[in-house]
Amino acid sequence: MILNDVELMKELIQETLQRIVDTEFEKYIGVAPYERSDERRGYRNGYRDRNILTRLGRLEIRLPRDREGNFSTELFNRYQRSEKALLLAVSESYFEGVSTRKVGKIMEKLCGEQFSRSTISNICKDLDKMLDSWRNRTLEKRYPYLVLDARYENVRESGIVRKKAVMIVLGIDEGGYREILSVDIGYSEGERNWVEVFSRLKERGLEGVIYIVSDDHEGLKNAISRSFPGIIWQRCQTHFIRNFISKFSRREVKRYICWLEDVFRAPDIDEAQRRKSLLIEKLERDGRYRIAEWVDEEIDYCFGVYGISERDRIRMKSTNMLERLNQEIKRRTRVVRIFPNDKSCLRLVGMICMEYSEHWQSGRRYLKGVSQFLCKWDRGIFFLLFLSCVNTFRELC
């Protein structure tokens, strides 16, 4: 009950941010307050007040200063980019007449004050310039692994609300670090839109791709075949499991799901094929011929993960690494409900992706490193590459 008190939440967040800044400053100058040390790198010179505009209202933070005036913190800049984008999206919707009275009230709570059109325009210019620079940056690394995903947002266009696809490309470099490579918006995640996304990435310097994991969207698969012929494509195992579950009643699925999970736990592709045969036999014995046929035709595309290093398989078998990012995007965009235009949608989602990407780049490695891309050449790898070539030939025909 007490956590619903907005003022209390503001105080808790304000105190937490203040402690983070003070700790960061202590590390910068090398000593705590009133402490003497030969390792000191500067001297304190009071504080200056800094305001942060958040969804809980305006927070007041005392920012420490050093005598030389060199100390600065990235905390506020990173925190405010997505916050500004969220406030702008709601404000723009309000001015464009998209929002209902309910959204108008949400805006009041989010902003804590009214924004004028000129204020919004000025903030938009700053954020858009920053986002354009990030989205068009040169890719100087090699990215052996790509993870692709798309989500749909409500965007108003010519007075009509449409579902627009927000397409996200995540890359993992040779050092094992994750990075969001691109964020784009289109009418759908069809082949044409994804091909354009891949073309722009290549123009920016994308190279070294050997493995891509995504869902089973037909347009996306065709675009991968056209843009990256010969690479290993992995159908997301999590999505496959969901598709499998949807074919049974809630009571029946318990009888079969453990068999499918056992297939995906196989240590190598030969064992995976053997367990696949057992699953198909069980389905056929129970009269589930259509499901058995579907599994036989589709599950092989979930075995692409056996074409990469064994240590990378558990994290590269699905698109789950984007799950936390998608949750954060959903949490922000559902406040807006309907974006007034494409730019507003791209601005908010792009800023969230930028923040996550920067955090990943400065944090711990996601993988131990992907210098050894393919595992040893055996019958399983030959089968995967043959399957990929057949799929590419099919699309070209």
Side-chain angles (χ1 to χ4, degrees):
M1 296 292 290
I2 205 167
L3 290 177
N4 290 325
D5 189 334
V6 175
E7 290 302 318
L8 176 60
M9 290 298 294
K10 282 177 64 175
E11 290 179 12
L12 290 174
I13 293 175
Q14 184 170 299
E15 183 179 347
T16 301
L17 293 177
Q18 186 66 61
R19 288 182 180 179
I20 291 173
V21 172
D22 290 341
T23 302
E24 188 178 352
F25 184 72
E26 284 184 17
K27 289 182 179 179
Y28 174 77
I29 63 173
V31 292
Y34 309 108
E35 181 183 355
R36 295 185 179 183
S37 172
D38 295 334
E39 298 179 359
R40 175 187 290 275
R41 294 188 294 274
Y43 292 87
R44 296 174 181 272
N45 190 29
Y47 293 84
R48 62 185 175 90
D49 294 331
R50 175 74 182 273
N51 293 326
I52 298 182
L53 196 60
T54 73
R55 283 162 289 161
L56 292 175
R58 188 179 293 275
L59 303 181
E60 297 179 0
I61 307 296
R62 300 175 68 228
L63 189 63
R65 294 189 300 184
D66 63 309
R67 289 182 183 177
E68 290 75 22
N70 295 326
F71 174 72
S72 64
T73 175
E74 285 293 316
L75 174 66
F76 297 142
N77 292 332
R78 291 189 181 185
Y79 180 74
Q80 278 198 295
R81 282 197 301 241
S82 60
E83 289 293 317
K84 282 182 180 178
L86 176 59
L87 295 176
L88 284 170
V90 178
S91 301
E92 281 183 305
S93 298
Y94 185 78
F95 282 124
E96 294 295 330
V98 173
S99 58
T100 62
R101 284 194 307 169
K102 182 179 178 182
V103 176
K105 291 178 181 178
I106 291 174
M107 186 187 107
E108 240 178 78
K109 290 182 179 180
L110 291 177
C111 302
E113 58 185 63
Q114 293 294 325
F115 283 165
S116 66
R117 289 180 181 270
S118 58
T119 301
I120 290 176
S121 178
N122 290 333
I123 300 176
C124 278
K125 289 177 182 177
D126 293 339
L127 290 181
D128 289 344
K129 184 178 179 181
M130 188 186 306
L131 183 60
D132 289 343
S133 175
W134 179 74
R135 291 182 62 232
N136 295 306
R137 70 194 186 280
T138 301
L139 303 177
E140 299 177 347
K141 304 176 186 176
R142 294 173 64 87
Y143 298 92
Y145 300 158
L146 296 185
V147 183
L148 313 179
D149 196 17
R151 55 178 293 107
Y152 284 84
E153 301 294 345
N154 295 314
V155 180
R156 185 173 288 267
E157 185 179 87
S158 302
I160 300 173
V161 179
R162 302 179 185 274
K163 287 281 188 183
K164 293 290 189 76
V166 180
M167 297 165 283
I168 300 173
V169 178
L170 179 151
I172 299 182
D173 62 32
E174 293 174 321
Y177 288 93
R178 288 179 290 176
E179 183 179 348
I180 301 295
L181 304 184
S182 74
V183 183
D184 294 274
I185 190 168
Y187 284 105
S188 69
E189 51 177 323
E191 179 179 352
R192 179 179 176 182
N193 289 329
W194 274 112
V195 168
E196 290 177 358
V197 170
F198 297 148
S199 297
R200 284 195 293 271
L201 281 170
K202 289 180 179 180
E203 289 172 2
R204 289 167 48 203
L206 176 66
E207 59 180 21
V209 179
I210 63 162
Y211 177 91
I212 295 177
V213 57
S214 72
D215 61 22
D216 191 45
H217 191 279
E218 197 65 33
L220 176 53
K221 290 194 300 181
N222 294 341
I224 292 172
S225 298
R226 284 180 56 183
S227 303
F228 300 100
I231 61 97
I232 298 175
W233 173 64
Q234 164 75 15
R235 178 173 179 174
C236 173
Q237 292 185 2
T238 301
H239 282 83
F240 188 90
I241 290 173
R242 290 172 187 165
N243 295 148
F244 183 82
I245 290 174
S246 68
K247 298 180 181 297
F248 299 93
S249 67
R250 188 174 298 180
R251 181 180 298 177
E252 291 175 324
V253 73
K254 296 179 181 178
R255 189 186 311 165
Y256 302 102
I257 190 63
C258 58
W259 288 72
L260 178 60
E261 291 173 345
D262 189 52
V263 174
F264 289 151
R265 284 195 293 265
D268 55 60
I269 193 168
D270 291 332
E271 179 61 18
Q273 291 288 346
R274 189 187 72 81
R275 296 182 186 184
K276 163 195 163 183
S277 299
L278 293 177
L279 171 59
I280 292 173
E281 288 174 9
K282 178 171 179 58
L283 289 168
E284 289 176 340
R285 282 199 308 270
D286 294 347
R288 302 288 183 172
Y289 298 107
R290 287 188 179 180
I291 300 177
E293 184 179 357
W294 174 79
V295 170
D296 190 27
E297 291 178 355
E298 300 294 334
I299 199 171
D300 284 336
Y301 295 107
C302 295
F303 296 159
V305 71
Y306 292 108
I308 62 176
S309 174
E310 185 176 355
R311 66 184 182 185
D312 297 340
R313 291 174 189 170
I314 190 159
R315 289 191 165 182
M316 295 306 304
K317 65 183 180 180
S318 70
T319 60
N320 285 358
M321 67 183 74
L322 282 173
E323 199 66 29
R324 180 66 185 88
L325 173 61
N326 280 328
Q327 288 175 2
E328 182 63 16
I329 292 173
K330 182 180 179 180
R331 185 173 71 87
R332 304 294 185 91
T333 58
R334 70 183 176 188
V335 174
V336 183
R337 295 175 57 208
I338 302 173
F339 288 92
N341 48 56
D342 286 357
K343 259 193 171 183
S344 179
C345 180
L346 189 59
R347 186 185 301 123
L348 176 55
V349 178
M351 286 299 171
I352 296 171
C353 289
M354 187 193 302
E355 289 181 358
Y356 266 75
S357 188
E358 289 175 352
H359 173 70
W360 290 336
Q361 287 288 293
S362 60
R364 294 196 307 172
R365 290 186 302 176
Y366 187 71
L367 300 176
K368 292 184 179 180
V370 287
S371 56
Q372 299 297 324
F373 304 142
L374 292 174
C375 55
K376 63 181 181 178
W377 286 88
D378 57 14
R379 288 182 302 160
I381 301 306
F382 178 80
F383 169 77
L384 287 170
L385 292 178
F386 174 74
L387 192 64
S388 177
C389 290
V390 167
N391 189 46
T392 303
F393 177 75
R394 232 182 242 165
E395 299 300 335
L396 291 175
C397 291

